[in-house]
Amino acid sequence: MPARLTGKRVLLLGAETEVGRACAEALIEAGATLALVAANGDAETAFAVKRLAKRLGAPVSQAIYATNEAAVRVMVRQVSKALGGLDAVVDATRNAASREMFQRLTARELERTGGGVFVVAHDHVDVVVAVAGDKA
């Protein structure tokens, strides 16, 4: 896959899920700078996401409880600051209940750093296409 995402700064929530891991690998392979965030804040999940980030060379990894609005708000700001802004946000949690809050909180940061896309991950190939802005 060509590195068509070089320079794109991407926040991936749900990095601990199967689809999240596949998306992380595809986004890194395509050249994105990636922040991996687990939507479950327990220690075991945090450690697994940290190992994945190290293996992939992702500069940021965190684990939060994604249903906690304050935790999500702080995480989004920290990730945006660490990456120098956000170009895309990928939700791989498959949790529709928290998606609206996550989208609302990340939209503010995307706007503040120049705009970008919010993608709900169904498949890692579709995510790369959506972040790149290509037609599927």
Side-chain angles (χ1 to χ4, degrees):
M1 180 179 298
R4 63 183 189 216
L5 297 183
T6 300
K8 296 277 188 175
R9 303 157 299 179
V10 181
L11 163 58
L12 171 66
L13 180 66
E16 77 281 14
T17 66
E18 185 177 337
V19 72
R21 287 187 302 271
C23 288
E25 291 173 358
L27 289 163
I28 288 286
E29 184 179 321
T33 301
L34 193 57
L36 298 176
V37 180
N40 179 347
D42 70 63
E44 185 177 331
T45 303
F47 185 67
V49 169
K50 187 172 275 311
R51 279 194 325 257
L52 178 62
K54 185 175 183 177
R55 182 173 62 82
L56 296 177
V60 178
S61 68
Q62 286 190 30
I64 64 166
Y65 290 102
T67 56
N68 180 320
E69 186 167 342
V72 173
R73 183 180 299 113
V74 169
M75 175 275 295
V76 170
R77 287 185 187 147
Q78 288 175 340
V79 166
S80 182
K81 184 176 180 179
L83 297 182
L86 293 175
D87 298 301
V89 174
V90 177
D91 182 353
T93 65
R94 298 194 176 187
N95 183 345
S98 62
R99 181 168 301 131
E100 182 181 327
M101 174 194 49
F102 184 54
Q103 188 169 13
R104 176 175 42 84
L105 293 173
T106 58
R108 292 177 185 159
E109 200 61 38
L110 285 167
E111 289 172 19
R112 188 159 67 203
T113 61
V117 296
F118 184 93
V119 179
V120 176
H122 299 288
D123 176 278
H124 64 282
V125 175
D126 290 343
V127 167
V128 171
V129 170
V131 171
D134 297 342
K135 303 273 190 253

